Amino acid sequence: MFFTEESLKSATWQSFERAVARLLVHKGFDGVRMVGQSRDRGADVLGHLRGKRWLFQVKHWRHKVGVSVIGETLEAMRIYRAQVPAIVALNGFEAAAQEHQKSLMGRHIPLQLWDTRILLMQASGLQDFPHIYREMRPYQERAVQDILSVYHKGGKKALVVMATGLGKTFVACETVRRIHALTPIRVLVIAHTNELVYQLEKAFWPFLNKSQDTLVWNGYEQLTESQLEKAFLVFSCLNTVDGYLRRGGDLEGFDIVIVDECHHVGGQMYNMILRDLMAGQPNGPFLLGLTATPWRPDDADLTAYFGDPVVTVDIVKGLKQGFLSNVDYRMYTDNINWDSLARLRGKNFSPRQINRTLFITEWDDAVIYELQAVWKEQKKPRAIVFCGTIDHAITMRDRINAFGFCHAAAVYSQTAAGRAMEPSERNRILCDFHDGTLDVLCAVDILNEGVDVPDVNIIVFQRVTHSRRIFIQQLGRGLRLAKDKDKVIVLDFVSDIRRFAAGINLKDSLLDEDGPVPGSPIRIHLNHKVTFRKAGGEDPQTESFIRKWLEDVAEIEDAGIDASVLKFPPELPGGRRR
């Protein structure tokens, strides 16, 4: 079992914390989040049970825990706004700490003290699998069956392309569960960041019975050769595997290699790893690639590594078949300066030239007015505002809060200049957003890959991104289906001609009358909408003009900032001629 006295004693402090988190998931806690790291301000694991936020301080100490740790935990409870504080101590508690707990209980502070005996007692009552059940959607079942068909017929590779929110990790977990149920296997999962490594391990927990253990291998935890050789499921970071192989290490014995966010494959490290492992080769392990965004800026061909996709469900297909939320996408054109455009001369212009000429000032206040208006359109509004810089995110947070219709917070990681948000503050904000006590996140480069946030029904774009992959990942934050959710409203204020092209492309794709796959019911019957708007209403005239201007929408969407691919029609909106 993943939770035994022997495994607890031999665990690293990091794996001990994760074992506690997995125990909570198994027991039905919701929103379990690992927060233990430097400057965590006294919290290691957060979770929610029956409407209360629990905070766990986890101590893998050789000696007993004393009263001072209780003080740290109560301070952490205040910082993280938790209702139930808990201390988990591998080797128990001093008598003074136990007496202090009784005193706190008498003051209605429900401090929990869990030693190894209590942990093992908690684990002994677990069912084989966690109290989590998710019905597989038809396309997910088909994807699992197609991967299994390739695997059992002796094939060596498979590629899964599913848009954010459609469950590509779910498909991988279920595939591994079914294969392992027939024949014991060993699996190596590789991701390019530590955040993704931890997120993937957590995603697999509901699919593992209590006898199946996992390992994280990311350079922070010291694993022995014996552990690597015996582990059923190893979650590894790209850099760690690369360094191990360069030092002459050997990774034989894995039956399946899974690469998450496999659009990153193609670089030197991944090439060496896959070659050394012989992953996807006739005498090597089965290779499974997962991605929501299969595009690479260098045009590397993913099929050369993983073969043709066994399943492809992009955003458009997911929207049409009702497996993603309905979209009301609104692109704003108020800051187009048509007079300056009329003064331009020539036939071909680059996106950089057009963006500098066509668009005028930033419009933060206009954004907030529109956000306030759409706030009333959603039953339980929750929003993410994607900003370009930390200063901009903080400005947007302050302006939104000044309007008073909701509560916003800025969230970001570390910038190249070294400016960072304390982990304790970031995790508290994400927990508050999970609980619904916080309504809006003003985010900078933190909610693309590898950060788990709940679903939202309003997305605001203020960040110019020339990466189609990042744009799709950000949009996907609002596309997951949820109870009582009719649609996601997208407010796009990005002043970039290629974003207009992307909007038109999305609109045309949704209007394409392919219809749903026979037998797949549409569960939500609202129409998808992509509209160009000005303050006060729609702006079809600008859309019509841009369509004539762009000519080849797909070419413009993928064009470089200096490419001369824009062609001006002779007539501007309003009948004016150039």
Side-chain angles (χ1 to χ4, degrees), residues 226-475:
S226 176
Q227 287 176 308
L228 282 176
E229 290 173 0
K230 296 178 181 178
F232 153 56
L233 196 51
V234 178
F235 296 87
S236 61
C237 191
L238 170 65
N239 292 342
T240 302
V241 179
D242 176 69
Y244 179 79
L245 293 175
R246 289 181 185 277
R247 293 190 300 270
D250 191 9
L251 284 177
E252 293 184 352
F254 286 104
D255 303 286
I256 297 177
V257 174
I258 299 175
V259 180
D260 192 45
E261 305 292 355
C262 70
H263 50 270
H264 291 281
V265 167
Q268 183 178 4
M269 281 193 288
Y270 265 124
N271 285 342
M272 190 192 79
I273 291 170
L274 297 182
R275 182 183 65 247
D276 282 15
L277 292 174
M278 297 184 66
Q281 301 304 312
N283 295 321
F286 186 83
L287 179 62
L288 177 62
L290 311 173
T291 184
T293 52
W295 316 286
R296 284 183 55 90
D298 59 4
D299 295 324
D301 183 7
L302 292 184
T303 63
Y305 298 90
F306 302 97
D308 293 328
V310 296
V311 59
T312 300
V313 188
D314 59 14
I315 279 185
V316 172
K317 186 181 291 186
L319 290 169
K320 285 184 175 181
Q321 296 184 12
F323 295 122
L324 292 173
S325 174
N326 283 276
V327 174
D328 184 348
Y329 199 115
R330 307 174 186 182
M331 306 194 78
Y332 288 84
T333 62
D334 298 74
N335 69 336
I336 293 180
N337 186 344
W338 292 115
D339 292 334
S340 67
L341 181 62
R343 292 192 293 270
L344 283 176
R345 291 292 179 264
K347 295 182 178 180
N348 297 321
F349 297 88
S350 70
R352 187 192 302 274
Q353 290 172 299
I354 297 305
N355 290 339
R356 287 177 175 176
T357 304
L358 189 61
F359 302 109
I360 53 179
T361 58
E362 296 274 342
W363 43 8
D364 290 343
D365 287 338
V367 171
I368 299 170
Y369 285 127
E370 289 298 315
L371 178 60
Q372 185 176 25
V374 303
W375 205 255
K376 303 172 184 177
E377 297 184 38
Q378 298 287 42
K379 294 179 182 178
K380 296 179 180 179
R382 306 181 76 192
I384 296 177
V385 180
F386 287 104
C387 303
T389 66
I390 292 176
D391 288 337
H392 186 215
I394 292 172
T395 296
M396 289 302 297
R397 175 201 66 190
D398 293 344
R399 291 189 179 185
I400 290 171
N401 288 334
F403 274 61
F405 65 92
C406 64
H407 182 203
V411 61
Y412 48 88
S413 55
Q414 183 162 336
T415 66
R419 183 176 179 183
M421 172 175 280
E422 288 289 326
S424 57
E425 183 180 5
R426 184 167 64 248
N427 281 299
R428 179 188 57 76
I429 287 171
L430 292 175
C431 281
D432 287 347
F433 193 60
H434 174 277
D435 293 353
T437 57
L438 183 66
D439 306 306
V440 181
L441 293 181
C442 299
V444 184
D445 291 334
I446 195 174
L447 302 180
N448 300 336
E449 292 177 347
V451 176
D452 185 25
V453 295
D455 189 36
V456 299
N457 53 20
I458 301 173
I459 295 286
V460 181
F461 285 121
Q462 282 194 278
R463 175 186 187 273
V464 176
T465 174
H466 301 312
S467 167
R468 184 183 182 192
R469 174 177 57 81
I470 292 176
F471 167 62
I472 294 298
Q473 287 170 340
Q474 292 176 342
L475 177 60

Side-chain angles (χ1 to χ4, degrees), residues 29 33 35 72 84 86 102 111 159 162 210 236 282-283 323 333 358 373 381 438 468 475 482 502 534 569 575 577:
F29 277 72
R33 181 182 298 277
V35 298
E72 295 171 5
V84 182
K102 295 178 183 178
L111 174 67
L159 175 61
M162 285 186 179
K210 62 183 182 182
S236 61
N283 295 321
F323 295 122
T333 62
L358 189 61
L438 183 66
R468 184 183 182 192
L475 177 60
K534 289 184 177 180
R577 298 189 65 83

Side-chain angles (χ1 to χ4, degrees), residues 1-24 58-62 88-92 114-124 126 210 213-215 227:
M1 192 170 76
F2 80 93
F3 224 103
T4 66
E5 186 169 5
E6 180 182 355
S7 68
L8 294 181
K9 295 291 185 182
S10 62
T12 64
W13 66 266
Q14 298 99 328
S15 60
F16 183 50
E17 289 181 0
R18 293 201 314 280
V20 171
R22 183 175 170 186
L23 175 67
L24 300 181
V58 182
K59 296 298 186 184
H60 191 263
W61 289 356
R62 294 181 180 179
V88 181
L90 180 66
N91 285 301
W114 293 6
D115 56 16
T116 298
R117 180 184 60 83
I118 293 178
L119 285 173
L120 295 176
M121 183 178 65
Q122 297 267 11
S124 66
L126 296 178
K210 62 183 182 182
D213 202 359
T214 62
L215 286 179
Q227 287 176 308

Side-chain angles (χ1 to χ4, degrees), residues 328-334 336 338 358-359 363 370 490 492 494 496-508 529-547 549-550 553:
D328 184 348
Y329 199 115
R330 307 174 186 182
M331 306 194 78
Y332 288 84
T333 62
D334 298 74
I336 293 180
W338 292 115
L358 189 61
F359 302 109
W363 43 8
E370 289 298 315
V490 182
D492 195 333
V494 173
D496 187 283
I497 194 64
R498 288 173 297 177
R499 180 59 66 86
F500 286 167
I504 290 177
N505 201 3
L506 177 62
K507 180 174 184 176
D508 291 347
K529 294 173 62 179
V530 180
T531 56
F532 284 72
R533 303 174 67 88
K534 289 184 177 180
E538 296 189 14
D539 184 16
Q541 188 179 32
T542 294
E543 178 185 348
S544 176
F545 170 75
I546 291 175
R547 282 185 178 278
W549 186 8
L550 296 182
V553 169

